[in-house]
């Protein structure tokens, strides 16, 4: 699951605003605003969440889940290594 903080951090790493993420994911701006306004884990329709995660993935973002292998542990985001 993605947290609201991860979503905001991912946008910041990409240098995009909420409107740009909405366009990339094919969802509405209010949907992105609601997701980022969530407390903790992002809430929303599964289809919308999937679209946002896929859009971030296409843009080069790796979402790090709880207890996932990473040098710092915990949750976070990181850019993928260039192909």
């Amino acid at each position: 699951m993605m947290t609201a903080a991860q979503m905001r951090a991912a946008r910041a790493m990409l240098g995009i605003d909420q409107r740009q993420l909405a366009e990339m994911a094919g969802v509405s701006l209010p949907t992105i605003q609601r997701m980022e306004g969530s407390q903790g884990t992002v809430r929303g329709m599964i289809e919308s969440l999937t679209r946002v995660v896929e859009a971030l993935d296409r843009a080069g973002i790796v979402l790090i889940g709880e207890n996932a292998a990473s040098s710092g542990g915990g949750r976070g985001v990181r850019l993928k290594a260039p192909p």
Side-chain angles (χ1 to χ4, degrees), residues 1-44:
M1 282 292 163
M2 174 176 52
T3 66
Q6 283 178 300
M7 196 168 165
R8 290 188 301 271
R11 277 195 314 99
M13 290 180 78
L14 294 171
I16 60 172
D17 62 21
Q18 290 178 329
R19 184 175 309 280
Q20 290 170 299
L21 178 56
E23 289 171 5
M24 289 168 54
V27 299
S28 69
L29 176 58
T31 295
I32 298 297
Q33 292 169 334
R34 278 192 302 276
M35 287 178 174
E36 288 193 1
S38 298
Q39 294 294 324
T41 302
V42 171
R43 303 268 187 236

Side-chain angles (χ1 to χ4, degrees), residues 30-72:
T31 295
I32 298 297
Q33 292 169 334
R34 278 192 302 276
M35 287 178 174
E36 288 193 1
S38 298
Q39 294 294 324
T41 302
V42 171
R43 303 268 187 236
M45 300 292 292
I46 297 298
E47 182 180 347
S48 297
L49 288 168
T50 300
R51 286 180 175 202
V52 170
V53 170
E54 288 173 351
L56 293 172
D57 182 67
R58 285 190 307 271
I61 295 292
V62 174
L63 297 168
I64 304 166
E66 190 71 32
N67 298 318
S70 70
S71 61

